[in-house]
Structure formats: structure tokens, C-alpha cells
Amino acid sequence: MSAPEIFEPNFTKVADKLFGAEGPVFDRHGKFFMVAPEGVEDAPRSAGDVLNVDLASGKVDIVCTPKDGEYGGIPAGCQCDLDNNIWIADMRLGILKMETSGQYQIMFREDSSGRTMQGCNDCIFDYTGNLWVTAPAGDMVPAEYKRSFEEPFGSVYCLTKDQTLIRIDGNLHFPNGIAVLHTADGTPSKLIVAETPKKLLWQYDIEGPGKVGTRSEWGKLPGDHEGGPDGMDFDEKDNLIVANWGGGHLEVFSPVGGEPITRIKCPFKNPSNVHFLPGTNTVFVTEHEFNGLWKFEWKNKAKKQYCETK
């Protein structure tokens, strides 16, 4: 295979010092949300924040600081539904459902088998309304917080449209970013899951709500650095843009996976997530070197998100 193209766009910084910057998402009205999971309070526990960022001015407002009693949350990935709720994958609280006003609720304590819900990192809606979620952490609160790149206790869930939480896979080393590839008629086809420390992207054939085929390798990221694939998003041509945490690049894969066809060079080392401005070529990127939010122009426009299908 020929060497990937190196693409060096102009990046513009929107905001920084957003500690642990992650989870960029637009609601149905164009309002931008993200999270700062490493926020710290005076007492009694640390807790991350959900933020609203004014993209024109860079002004940042805290929308909420999720908690379960005295236990602070660690919000990470975010997605918007058809009713303009923001769904949040949280490393301590599992899955949250938040109104854009900041009112939120913890959705689950257990999955459909009665197993304790694990802490979650990222999520994606398919076009039929199922929410697919990665869960790299140990059991949610009040269990002690557990995360590891060495121990394979991570899981993947599907929260079906009828609100059944199904654990579809386990024994993964820190499952992280997640995406759904759809067929031309909008049918969910493949689930793509990042296993960060192995620098792998796995695929599952989607057979129905909460039902998938056997896991197999879809793609692999370059580099021998600590880290690997984090958040990801499709463009309109079904190319998958993947944040290569620690690698200083966004890796672009064709719809069939394999190795990157393009490497987008970043002005920071640790990109954490990517998300298109709906209907445009503009990609917003969060990162952990400056804890910033940046944007650049990609060659192709965005693939529609679930919240845009109504």
C-alpha cells in the first residue's frame, strides 16, 4: 500500500484550559456542547463539567456538573437525540440523559442481564435510534473508580430505542471511540470500536438492535507512541476521521478500513475527539496538550448525525 497523504490544514484555536477536553457535539439548534472531565471541586469529590462554548467568542459556560450524591461524574462522549436531549457517556455514572438546560438523569444501574453498569467513555446513535456505547471503566459508583490500559475488562453496550441496555461484548483493553457505518439507504451496517492501547479499530456487523456479529479487525493506527485511537466521526463519503491520541495526527480511513489513506497533522500531540459542524466541512477537535478546542476545514462535508435525520 502506498504511503498515506499528509494533510496540513490551518487549525484555529477556539478555547483552551478546558481540563480533559472531550465530547464535542451540536444540538439540533446549532448550540455547541462539550465536556471537561477533569474539573475539580473543593469538596467532597472531584467532578467533571458539561460545557457550552460560544464558538464565535470562545466564551465558556458550565451547563452542569454531574453527580450521584457525593460522587462526581467524569463525563466523556456526547450525542444528541431527535428530541434535543444530550446523551453522555460518563466514566463514573454510566449513561446520562441531559436536557440542554442542564437538567440530567442517570439512566441505568444495571444492564439487561442484571450486571452492574460500567463507567462509559463514548457513544454514537445509529439512524434507527439505538445508542452504542463504549465502557472502559470498572463498575459505576459507588464502586471504586477503576481504569487500566493493561487489564482487558472493558465492554461495549447498546441502548436500544426501546430503552433496553444490552452488553454486546467484553474483555477489551480500554474501548474508546465508537462509530456506525450505514448503508446507502440509512440501514446500520457496521459498528466500529477503538481499542486504544492496541491501536486497533474493531468491526462488528450490526444484525439488529443490540445484536452484532463476531468482532474482527477493521483498521490499525500507525505509531509506537503511548495511546492510540480515541474519538471519531464520518465524513459524507464514509471516510472515518480518527483522533490518534499521542500521535499528533487525525487518521483518515476509507470506508473499508485497513490503514489510513490520509494523516491530518495537528498542532498538538494528543487529539481526543472530532465532530463536524453539521452540513459543513468544518471539523471541531478537542485535545489534551493544551486542553483545547480547535477547528479546521476538511476536504469533504459532514455525514449526517442521527439528530439531523428528523
Side-chain angles (χ1 to χ4, degrees):
M1 182 177 176
S2 60
E5 174 194 10
I6 303 299
F7 182 57
E8 299 188 41
N10 292 319
F11 278 80
T12 301
K13 185 191 292 184
V14 178
D16 60 10
K17 299 179 182 177
L18 310 171
F19 296 107
E22 270 276 14
V25 69
F26 287 89
D27 75 1
R28 284 172 52 83
H29 306 300
K31 191 174 182 180
F32 182 83
F33 296 86
M34 59 177 291
V35 299
E38 297 175 8
V40 177
E41 297 185 318
D42 293 333
R45 306 282 177 109
S46 64
D49 298 317
V50 180
L51 309 173
N52 168 234
V53 181
D54 184 317
L55 298 177
S57 67
K59 183 176 182 293
V60 179
D61 292 309
I62 296 175
V63 180
C64 68
T65 302
K67 293 182 180 180
D68 183 6
E70 66 175 357
Y71 297 99
I74 304 176
C78 301
Q79 285 287 303
C80 183
D81 69 14
L82 295 179
D83 296 319
N84 212 41
N85 299 302
I86 305 297
W87 292 75
I88 303 169
D90 190 292
M91 292 282 281
R92 293 295 281 135
L93 307 180
I95 299 173
L96 306 175
K97 179 182 178 183
M98 185 192 79
E99 299 176 13
T100 55
S101 64
Q103 296 294 317
Y104 64 88
Q105 56 181 312
I106 299 170
M107 296 302 295
F108 292 90
R109 303 286 177 178
E110 298 178 341
D111 65 23
S112 59
S113 69
R115 176 178 174 143
T116 299
M117 179 82 188
Q118 289 176 245
C120 301
N121 184 272
D122 209 349
C123 55
I124 185 71
F125 278 108
D126 66 32
Y127 287 172
T128 59
N130 303 300
L131 184 69
W132 303 84
V133 185
T134 54
D139 290 350
M140 62 185 290
V141 298
E144 183 178 352
Y145 182 44
K146 181 180 180 182
R147 59 176 286 166
S148 172
F149 267 21
E150 289 76 38
E151 296 181 67
F153 55 75
S155 297
V156 182
Y157 294 100
C158 180
L159 174 58
T160 65
K161 191 175 182 179
D162 67 4
Q163 299 297 286
T164 302
L165 182 67
I166 301 169
R167 182 175 180 263
I168 65 165
D169 202 3
N171 303 313
L172 287 158
H173 291 83
F174 209 91
N176 197 331
I178 189 166
V180 174
L181 182 65
H182 295 81
T183 60
D185 66 357
T187 301
S189 173
K190 289 186 183 296
L191 180 70
I192 311 296
V193 172
E195 191 173 21
T196 300
K198 291 190 173 183
K199 297 185 173 60
L200 286 175
L201 299 172
W202 295 104
Q203 66 175 350
Y204 306 78
D205 289 336
I206 296 176
E207 299 173 352
K211 186 177 181 181
V212 297
T214 303
R215 180 204 318 167
S216 61
E217 184 175 326
W218 185 81
K220 188 171 178 64
L221 273 70
D224 57 4
H225 55 281
E226 180 183 3
D230 202 330
M232 56 186 76
D233 205 5
F234 279 108
D235 70 16
E236 65 179 353
K237 295 188 176 180
D238 286 334
N239 298 306
L240 186 63
I241 303 176
V242 182
N244 188 351
W245 195 99
H249 289 76
L250 308 176
E251 314 293 351
V252 184
F253 293 82
S254 79
V256 297
E259 297 180 359
I261 55 173
T262 302
R263 306 194 72 204
I264 301 171
K265 188 174 181 180
C266 302
F268 38 80
K269 183 179 179 183
N270 302 320
S272 59
N273 218 321
V274 296
H275 194 76
F276 277 91
L277 174 65
T280 77
N281 299 62
T282 304
V283 182
F284 286 86
V285 185
T286 54
E287 52 84 19
H288 293 162
E289 183 175 352
F290 307 103
N291 287 301
L293 172 67
W294 304 66
K295 66 178 180 179
F296 74 94
E297 296 299 308
W298 176 233
K299 301 174 183 180
N300 305 315
K301 291 185 178 181
K303 187 80 171 181
K304 277 189 176 181
Q305 300 283 326
Y306 171 60
C307 63
E308 300 172 72
T309 61
K310 184 177 180 180

